[in-house]
Amino acid sequence: MQDHSVEMRGIVKKFGSVTASDQVDFSANAGEVHALLGENGAGKSTVMSMLSGVYRADEGEILIHGQTARIRSPKDAALLGVGMVFQNFRLVQSLTAAENIVLGEKSSFWRGSKWIKHKHEEIEALGERFGLKFPVDRPIWQLSVGEQQRVEIVKTLYRGADIIILDEPTSVLTPGEAEQLFETLRVMKQAGKTVIMTTHKMKEVMASSDRISVMRKGKMIATLATADTDELELARLMVGREVTISRQEREVTQGEPLLIVNRLDVSADHGRKALDNLSLKVCEGEIVGVAGVAGNGQKELAEVLTGLRTWKNGEIIFDGSKVTTASVRGAIDSGISHVPENRMKSGLAGRLGSVDNLLFKSYRSEEHSKFGFLKAAKNRLWSQELVQRFNVKTPELDTPVQQLSGGNQQKLLFAREVSHKPKLMVAVHPTQGLDVGATAGVHELLMELRSSGSGVLLISEDLDELLQLSDRILVIYNGTIIGESDHEHADREQIGLMMAGIRHREGSAV
Amino acid sequence: MSPKNGSNSAAVVLEPAPAKTGKRFSLRLEYDSSRTRSPWWSPILSVILALLLCAIFIAANGMSPVTVYEKMFKGAFGTSYGFTETMVKAIPLLLCGLGIAVAYRISVWNIGAEGQLTVGAMAATAVTIYFPDLPSFWSITLMLLFGTAAGALWGLMTAIPRTHFGVNELITSLMLNYVALLALDYVVFGPWKDPKGFNFPGSPMFTAAQSLPVLGTTRLHIGLIFGLVAVVIYYLMVKFTRWGYELRLIGANPTAARYAGIHIKRHIIIVMLISGGLAGIAGMAEVSGVTHKLMQGISPGYGYTAIIVAWLAKLNPLGLIITSVLFGGLIVGGYSVQTIGLPSSISEMLQGSILFFLIAGDMIHRFRIRRSA
């Protein structure tokens, strides 16, 4: 076809040893809404970031309206009419919506009240045309998230974009707002714009797009017309068919129930409901996997269990006693360890050495300090021993941990979390960004914890990992557990469907 | 999604535009946000660069920079009088600088040492006014206690809005400086004015019992011991206690500290109490040890200079001793060049340039020059 408004050919992008985009071909046409579907980490955002000039491709070429384009920066992309609405908005909180939109415009030096009034009208008219309503004269911080997104969209339109990329646009919206957004997309399409939307929500894709491209693990799997496909097929494409999972051999070690969560309601940071009537159970000597697409409450679940977040309704019973208040120290002292999502952000202090990083959770104990004084020499020996036992490769004990490799950082983190013999470990994406060897090491550690009688709640987006390790897999969707399957009967496709919010179907796997 | 790469480097890549011929520059600047620690020699280099920069201005004034610097150095360190004067100036710088260093360690940007010092001096003076006849020991002890408490309270007034309402401490601590200075004006012009002072603003002279002991015939007072003791205690606390460990964690990664169960708000309050308290001691030592009465301009900006002192020492308590003496010397040296016709503001110019180069150095350090593939 000649009328591709966007064409990407053989795009390769590597981050270190990880290939985020592997020979990706992609094209979109004017007057269509094109959905780019894939799990988190499939490479959707990376590909779109290259189109909008945030990243540069290592290989491959990009054609805009049939012409080879050299997109070296977001500015280049803007000149070519490519605008991107990012997942986390790029807005100045203290400026009004209109001021944000005209920001960076060089056309006029003098900006009197008349000019601003004129711009307000212009922006309002533009918004109205595409069904995007928001108060133009109010500062951004007073607007709802949905309104902020509309400001972002109008900003790209105002700057003359005719290729508009929306990165996970519905992840922050309420269902009603999402509905409105799709209406806007239709109007944009009719106006001859090219709309590209990355998402992992199948229902929305079916409802709003004309064509769908599916990515998986950095590769482009297929491009289909929405009319010719259905959710089942998309789910299959998204999670893949390969049944490579070599389930870790195990004996039954299950013991008493360790953690019982009953009908828990939790709010996210902005008052949105994050966990909704969620119940689950973890027993001693059991690995319970929580599968789900990012942003369905996993983060909040981990935070509640580790004492970082309070809950509104429901109860948590741990080790036979009811947990009354959210307290990090309380959680640590009762034997809950935590491998957080982003190890360098919240798990380790990069500037400090191994000793300080290992002491994080135990420095208050008798063993490591007395009368408020740290037992420096003893702690050093203890750290030395842990570093050796967990085979952490570090030049010196005092080398800042940010200089270690990702695998060694994670080993250090595990050393700390395992060293005080936890009863329960809450591990969130424990192998994210690790290579094959390091991943295997982490899996081994989790299995060891299991066989020593500890419970593990493994929150991961990597379905393979969950299938390999878990005794039971729970699927979280919209803050609630919508399905469960045990180790024996775990079915990749079924779980993939549930992750997309589609409940059991008659006749499919049990 | 881009995988998070371990060293979180290469956040920004500044690359020169390719030349028209298609040839590319082989060098590029790369920003590496993980390089937060500049090398140990960066403060020394900053001082040297500042001296060079100011030399240009001195030369433009028609004087030889070498002569001026020599004069300054001799004035500050060359004579025993000069040296003790330098030490006298170093005392408040050391105490305030230490307080600032404690707060900056966990990124609490207290710039209110000036105000905290002022209220410390006022509270100490209050003791002399309301309990004029106490014996020496009780008088000094009470003045010290009141001075510390007042400074700490002034620090608390910055800490509480920060922890409970998210108010930026830079603004509150700076504004409270003006409140403190105006309150000082009020008491020295009003209620505490010396009735026998010929209507000059200022409190009555302190008695011998209300003054800190001095060394021989010099003006060097025992406040130096306060400062040194505080440095040692602080050093030991940070290095060997759980509290110090918690500060280190918060300083290095507040999110991780929260995940380790550390109450950051509590620490902000503690740190501001200490920070203000130390500045309060400095204020007490100034009135009781140097001026022997409360008056306007009790501090020629010690609280602000101490920020540079702390920064130059890289918040290291032992380094603080060196930098506070250096800056004490700068102030005294500035006075001594007045005799050859240069304004003493030359020392402020030097102070400013040192800070400028220091901060610029921290920034530049984060960029690396890389050869493109």
Side-chain angles (χ1 to χ4, degrees), chain A residues 329 348 351 356 363 372 374, chain B residues 240 242 245-246 248 251 253 261:
Chain A
R329 285 195 191 179
L348 297 169
R351 272 200 274 143
D356 282 343
Y363 72 94
L374 294 168
Chain B
F240 297 111
R242 288 209 294 236
Y245 175 70
E246 286 169 345
R248 226 176 309 151
N253 187 345

Side-chain angles (χ1 to χ4, degrees), chain B residues 254-274:
Chain B
T255 315
R258 202 166 73 85
Y259 276 54
I262 293 169
H263 301 283
I264 296 182
K265 286 182 180 179
R266 192 181 298 167
H267 276 284
I268 291 176
I269 290 173
I270 293 173
V271 145
M272 277 308 296
L273 283 173
I274 295 174

Side-chain angles (χ1 to χ4, degrees), chain A residues 87-143:
Chain A
Q87 217 173 334
N88 26 7
F89 308 135
R90 265 74 163 164
L91 294 170
V92 183
Q93 293 290 319
S94 54
L95 296 185
T96 67
E99 281 165 346
N100 265 288
I101 290 166
V102 300
L103 201 65
E105 191 178 334
K106 294 194 178 89
S107 62
S108 59
F109 174 74
W110 185 251
R111 300 185 166 190
S113 57
K114 202 170 165 191
W115 183 85
I116 271 287
K117 206 173 151 214
H118 177 70
K119 284 292 166 193
H120 278 181
E121 278 162 15
E122 188 183 336
I123 289 163
E124 249 164 5
L126 187 64
E128 210 157 295
R129 193 176 145 213
F130 291 98
L132 295 158
K133 254 179 78 79
F134 56 87
V136 288
D137 53 353
R138 283 246 223 101
I140 293 300
W141 60 268
Q142 291 182 358
L143 305 188

Side-chain angles (χ1 to χ4, degrees), chain B:
Chain B
M1 290 286 116
S2 68
K4 309 277 174 290
N5 59 359
S7 68
N8 59 38
S9 67
V12 180
V13 178
L14 302 173
E15 196 164 336
K20 287 265 153 53
T21 54
K23 254 193 195 171
R24 292 177 66 177
F25 286 99
S26 60
L27 292 179
R28 60 179 181 157
L29 267 182
E30 206 176 84
Y31 182 74
D32 182 348
S33 59
S34 70
R35 294 176 55 144
T36 46
R37 271 191 194 168
S38 51
W40 59 269
W41 44 262
S42 89
I44 298 169
L45 184 67
S46 307
V47 173
I48 294 170
L49 288 174
L51 287 172
L52 290 177
L53 179 72
C54 292
I56 298 172
F57 289 98
I58 296 168
N61 263 315
M63 273 174 234
S64 151
V66 178
T67 328
V68 171
Y69 288 152
E70 203 185 340
K71 181 103 185 150
M72 280 180 81
F73 185 81
K74 276 192 181 146
F77 302 102
T79 63
S80 69
Y81 170 76
F83 185 67
T84 52
E85 274 306 294
T86 296
M87 294 309 282
V88 168
K89 307 280 181 220
I91 293 166
L93 292 177
L94 180 60
L95 282 162
C96 292
L98 190 62
I100 286 164
V102 180
Y104 286 14
R105 211 153 238 281
I106 60 167
S107 303
V108 173
W109 307 114
N110 174 25
I111 53 173
E114 186 78 0
Q116 291 144 14
L117 180 148
T118 305
V119 295
M122 284 164 65
T125 309
V127 174
T128 69
I129 296 207
Y130 297 109
F131 308 99
D133 301 317
L134 286 177
S136 168
F137 174 77
W138 286 113
S139 171
I140 296 291
T141 310
L142 219 56
M143 286 168 78
L144 194 58
L145 273 175
F146 269 61
T148 316
L153 203 71
W154 218 246
L156 193 66
M157 282 167 63
T158 297
I160 299 284
R162 157 80 195 263
T163 52
H164 287 72
F165 308 104
V167 181
N168 189 328
E169 73 278 9
L170 275 170
I171 294 167
T172 49
S173 62
L174 179 66
M175 291 300 149
L176 283 171
N177 286 347
Y178 297 106
V179 176
L181 288 174
L182 290 171
L184 173 74
D185 281 359
Y186 169 70
V187 292
V188 296
F189 278 102
W192 293 356
K193 189 158 70 178
D194 185 2
K196 290 172 236 141
F198 306 104
N199 221 15
F200 278 112
S203 74
M205 278 305 269
F206 291 6
T207 63
Q210 292 158 345
S211 299
L212 288 176
V214 291
L215 181 78
T217 55
T218 65
R219 300 209 304 152
L220 185 57
H221 55 89
I222 202 162
L224 183 64
I225 309 290
F226 297 168
L228 293 177
V229 168
V231 166
V232 172
I233 292 177
Y234 172 65
Y235 175 76
L236 295 177
M237 293 278 281
V238 164
K239 196 118 202 222
F240 297 111
T241 64
R242 288 209 294 236
W243 176 73
Y245 175 70
E246 286 169 345
L247 285 194
R248 226 176 309 151
L249 265 195
I250 299 173
N253 187 345
T255 315
R258 202 166 73 85
Y259 276 54
I262 293 169
H263 301 283
I264 296 182
K265 286 182 180 179
R266 192 181 298 167
H267 276 284
I268 291 176
I269 290 173
I270 293 173
V271 145
M272 277 308 296
L273 283 173
I274 295 174
S275 193
L278 284 167
I281 295 177
M284 178 271 170
E286 278 305 292
V287 282
S288 177
V290 182
T291 61
H292 302 294
K293 65 173 187 176
L294 189 66
M295 55 186 196
Q296 274 188 296
I298 188 87
S299 154
Y302 289 135
Y304 297 116
T305 307
I307 297 172
I308 313 178
V309 169
W311 213 243
L312 192 65
K314 289 175 162 284
L315 311 185
N316 178 318
L318 302 180
L320 262 164
I321 297 178
I322 299 169
T323 55
S324 52
V325 171
L326 179 74
F327 271 69
L330 258 181
I331 297 172
V332 175
Y335 295 145
S336 64
V337 290
Q338 283 175 302
T339 55
I340 54 168
L342 262 184
S344 68
S345 51
I346 178 78
S347 87
E348 276 156 46
M349 200 162 96
L350 270 168
Q351 289 175 20
S353 345
I354 290 173
L355 185 64
F356 171 79
F357 283 114
L358 202 60
I359 290 173
D362 282 348
M363 218 43 234
I364 290 168
H365 175 68
R366 294 190 195 169
F367 286 92
R368 285 199 252 201
I369 298 170
R370 276 272 178 85
R371 211 169 268 278
S372 302

Side-chain angles (χ1 to χ4, degrees), chain A residues 258 318-319 329-337 417 420-425 454-455:
Chain A
L258 185 67
F318 180 68
D319 205 18
R329 285 195 191 179
I332 294 170
D333 293 342
S334 62
I336 299 177
S337 70
E417 297 299 331
H420 43 112
K421 301 195 177 59
K423 289 185 185 131
L424 173 75
M425 168 172 283
S454 304

Side-chain angles (χ1 to χ4, degrees), chain A residues 423-479:
Chain A
K423 289 185 185 131
L424 173 75
M425 168 172 283
V426 179
V428 189
H429 311 320
T431 56
Q432 199 172 51
L434 299 187
D435 60 26
V436 185
T439 301
V442 166
H443 288 175
E444 205 173 301
L445 280 167
L446 288 172
M447 288 305 283
E448 271 170 30
L449 267 176
R450 176 186 180 274
S451 43
S452 71
S454 304
V456 175
L457 189 72
L458 174 63
I459 299 175
S460 176
E461 280 164 27
D462 186 341
L463 211 45
D464 290 329
E465 177 171 278
L466 289 170
L467 289 166
Q468 263 180 52
L469 297 173
S470 310
D471 295 292
R472 285 186 293 132
I473 295 181
L474 311 176
V475 181
I476 191 169
Y477 181 77
N478 258 345

